[in-house]
Amino acid sequence: MTKMTTDERDDLKMWARLHVRGGYEPLEEIEEILLDYAQDFRSPLTERDRQVEVRNALVHAVSMLVEEQDSWPVLTDFDRLSLAFDMLEDEDIVARQHFTCCGTCGAAEIGIEMDDFQDLSGREPKGYVFFHQQDTESAVESGSLYISYGAADATASPEDNVAIGQRLHDVLQSVGLKPVWDGKINHRVGLAIDWKRRWEGAMPKPIKRWFY
């Protein structure tokens, strides 16, 4: 029976922790992501062993989170962040969490989100704010989150773009968070965040290494 190396198992646990604590994918999707990731390991695992190792990493990550969250306050920083994004949407500023893989893709695709928002709500968007998947990982791992912003009109003046950033800053502040921003158009709004998002999904169960 071939097992993973210690470094491979530690990597797998780290990625399981990031995805579970990020909380944006369901359990089944996280498992598929980790299975794909484990395929690149050098250890010649059987398919069954790979499934067992991934499931064990998930069981550990979810169990640790569920145990911890019992001692969390009723309202966490993540709850405040979600509230702020809901408030911005109420003001016709399209707000997206964990949006696309990176900033470049987010900037390219946010226009589609604004079009969809207008089609569904009948309201014309004033602008947008978002953070991407790599930002989520940073927030979970280091407590540092950066949020992009901009006016809906691609030809808008710098002042109009900055106004969206200022509104983002002010709303984050109003819900009890502590954003940091110098008001410059080429700087994202920063946020020190104690990322505590409760696990609301299913509890994974270990897989037996053998079929009997």
Side-chain angles (χ1 to χ4, degrees):
M1 178 178 66
T2 303
K3 295 183 178 180
M4 288 182 177
T5 65
T6 299
D7 287 344
E8 288 172 343
R9 188 171 286 113
D10 287 345
D11 282 349
L12 190 62
K13 286 181 178 179
M14 178 196 71
W15 284 110
R17 179 182 181 276
L18 286 175
H19 283 282
V20 166
R21 290 182 181 256
Y24 289 102
E25 301 100 358
L27 184 64
E28 296 79 6
E29 185 175 341
I30 297 175
E31 188 160 30
E32 287 301 319
I33 291 170
L34 296 179
L35 285 168
D36 288 343
Y37 179 73
Q39 281 185 327
D40 294 332
F41 290 162
R42 291 190 174 185
S43 297
L45 297 169
T46 66
E47 181 67 19
R48 183 71 173 179
D49 282 346
R50 187 164 60 97
Q51 292 172 346
V52 169
E53 294 283 2
V54 165
R55 183 65 63 83
N56 287 344
L58 272 176
V59 168
H60 180 264
V62 173
S63 297
M64 291 294 293
L65 177 55
V66 170
E67 182 179 345
E68 287 179 25
Q69 69 190 32
D70 286 341
S71 63
W72 290 355
V74 174
L75 191 65
T76 68
D77 279 1
F78 174 79
D79 297 327
R80 291 184 171 90
L81 177 66
S82 292
L83 174 60
F85 271 48
D86 287 344
M87 291 169 64
L88 289 165
E89 287 247 336
D90 288 342
E91 297 180 16
D92 299 336
I93 297 174
V94 174
R96 297 291 178 266
Q97 303 179 38
H98 199 67
F99 178 65
T100 73
C101 61
C102 63
T104 300
C105 291
E109 297 179 28
I110 195 64
I112 299 173
E113 294 295 308
M114 288 191 288
D115 289 342
D116 289 345
F117 173 85
Q118 185 166 3
D119 290 343
L120 292 171
S121 68
R123 309 194 316 260
E124 185 174 351
K126 299 174 183 176
Y128 65 84
V129 302
F130 73 84
F131 59 88
H132 51 71
Q133 293 166 15
Q134 292 175 17
D135 292 324
T136 303
E137 293 172 8
S138 176
V140 173
E141 198 167 23
S142 69
S144 179
L145 180 66
Y146 286 90
I147 306 173
S148 300
Y149 61 86
D153 185 354
T155 63
S157 67
E159 292 78 13
D160 288 341
N161 282 284
V162 166
I164 300 296
Q166 187 63 55
R167 189 58 190 145
L168 167 62
H169 175 277
D170 293 347
V171 170
L172 290 170
Q173 201 167 55
S174 75
V175 297
L177 295 172
K178 297 179 179 179
V180 177
W181 185 51
D182 58 9
K184 295 182 179 180
I185 191 172
N186 57 334
H187 291 169
R188 296 199 289 168
V189 175
L191 184 65
I193 183 169
D194 184 9
W195 190 277
K196 287 184 168 73
R197 181 173 186 176
R198 289 178 169 82
W199 181 257
E200 297 177 347
M203 296 294 294
K205 297 180 180 179
I207 299 175
K208 293 181 180 180
R209 196 172 291 274
W210 306 110
F211 290 98
Y212 53 85

